Amino acid sequence: RQQQQRQQQQRHPPPAMSGGVVSYEDLFEVIDRDPDGKKFDKVSRFRCRSQFEAELQIDINVDIYKMEVGTRFTLVLAPTLSLDGTPEDPSYDQSGKESLADGYEYVMYGKVFKKEDETSGGIQKSAVNISFGGLLMHLKADPKNLQNVDIDNRLYILIRKISK
């Protein structure tokens, strides 16, 4: 039954851009796993590149979400899981109503703790660092694509595999 629901959600995921909910969205491919060696049993660090030249390093709990080199996935950063963009209620929502998370397989909640702009070879990039309860993400992309992501923002990261 759960597999049927997952397949249906993958065929008909909630619209990510509904109500201007999304702060960032891109397609990535894993190009390396644990580039500095494996540090933890259940966590791997993945180095990824997007079709738009964004660079991503992200820690994933591989005990619950399997990824490998060559895996392609959609990554979304959003301040709320509400499809209409309404801010989060601090209490846990047990209503079962549709949310942005329904169309994704792996979801974490974290805080932006660093953002900086850098120029290399005449190309300007913004870099953001987000901590998801100790699992870290470093994303370097075009500044226009990260203009809605700022220090101290609390964001959800949503991931859905496209292949592999």
Side-chain angles (χ1 to χ4, degrees):
R1 175 141 172 82
Q2 285 180 331
Q3 187 174 2
Q4 282 177 323
Q5 287 175 334
R6 182 175 288 142
Q7 288 171 344
Q8 183 178 7
Q9 289 169 351
Q10 287 175 346
R11 282 193 301 264
H12 308 290
M17 297 305 285
S18 66
V21 170
V22 171
S23 298
Y24 178 84
E25 182 173 20
D26 206 345
L27 302 173
F28 286 90
E29 182 174 347
V30 176
I31 57 174
D32 199 5
R33 178 177 180 164
D34 296 316
D36 300 323
K38 188 124 172 92
K39 307 254 193 265
F40 302 99
D41 290 340
K42 297 181 181 187
V43 176
S44 280
R45 178 160 292 168
F46 293 92
R47 210 163 43 93
C48 312
R49 182 157 292 125
S50 86
Q51 60 186 5
F52 300 111
E53 300 302 315
E55 298 171 29
L56 172 71
Q57 282 195 42
I58 186 166
D59 296 341
I60 299 283
N61 181 334
V62 292
D63 197 39
I64 59 172
Y65 194 68
K66 307 287 184 219
M67 286 180 54
E68 55 194 62
V69 173
T71 299
R72 293 180 52 214
F73 61 94
T74 299
L75 178 141
V76 169
L77 296 176
T80 178
L81 293 177
S82 174
L83 290 175
D84 64 5
T86 56
E88 294 291 314
D89 186 330
S91 61
Y92 177 66
D93 180 8
Q94 299 181 44
S95 68
K97 71 179 181 180
E98 267 193 24
S99 80
L100 193 58
D102 293 336
Y104 295 86
E105 303 160 337
Y106 188 75
V107 179
M108 297 188 292
Y109 185 67
K111 182 178 180 179
V112 178
F113 66 90
K114 185 177 183 182
K115 182 176 183 181
E116 55 192 10
D117 293 323
E118 50 190 64
T119 303
S120 175
I123 299 172
Q124 188 173 12
K125 296 261 184 163
S126 285
V128 295
N129 292 294
I130 304 175
S131 176
F132 300 97
L135 297 180
L136 302 177
M137 182 187 90
H138 175 80
L139 174 63
K140 191 185 295 185
D142 185 301
K144 290 182 293 196
N145 297 334
L146 290 173
Q147 65 187 1
N148 294 326
V149 178
D150 288 311
I151 292 177
D152 292 334
N153 282 168
R154 296 194 180 274
L155 296 171
Y156 288 93
I157 185 169
L158 303 101
I159 295 174
R160 177 180 59 242
K161 289 179 199 165
I162 298 170
S163 67
K164 223 176 195 184

